[in-house]
Amino acid sequence: MRFHVGDVVNHPTDKRSGVVLDIRRNPACLMRHLVILWDDGSEEELEEIEFGPLED
């Protein structure tokens, strides 16, 4: 699944949900990193691949 800013996501291992604030692309490998604001108020940057298989 391809994520977009504003999408609601669930943490891959914890039982938390959050909103995608920003999407950053690593110029070396073009991997997308999601900046997520979790419902507990914390902010975290995770690679998109942690949420499952990537789609174009």
Side-chain angles (χ1 to χ4, degrees), residues 9-24:
V9 296
N10 293 316
H11 194 279
T13 57
D14 297 339
K15 293 185 178 183
R16 296 188 291 172
S17 63
V19 176
V20 178
L21 295 179
D22 192 19
I23 299 173
R24 300 178 183 153

Side-chain angles (χ1 to χ4, degrees), residues 27-41:
C29 66
L30 302 180
M31 178 64 66
R32 290 169 26 124
H33 293 255
L34 307 176
V35 179
I36 301 166
L37 177 63
W38 298 111
D39 51 5
D40 64 2

Side-chain angles (χ1 to χ4, degrees), residues 5 26 44 53:
V5 173
N26 182 334
E44 184 175 15

Side-chain angles (χ1 to χ4, degrees), residues 45-56:
E45 184 173 330
L46 296 171
E47 289 183 349
E48 187 175 35
I49 198 161
E50 292 187 44
F51 294 92
L54 301 179
E55 294 181 11
D56 291 332

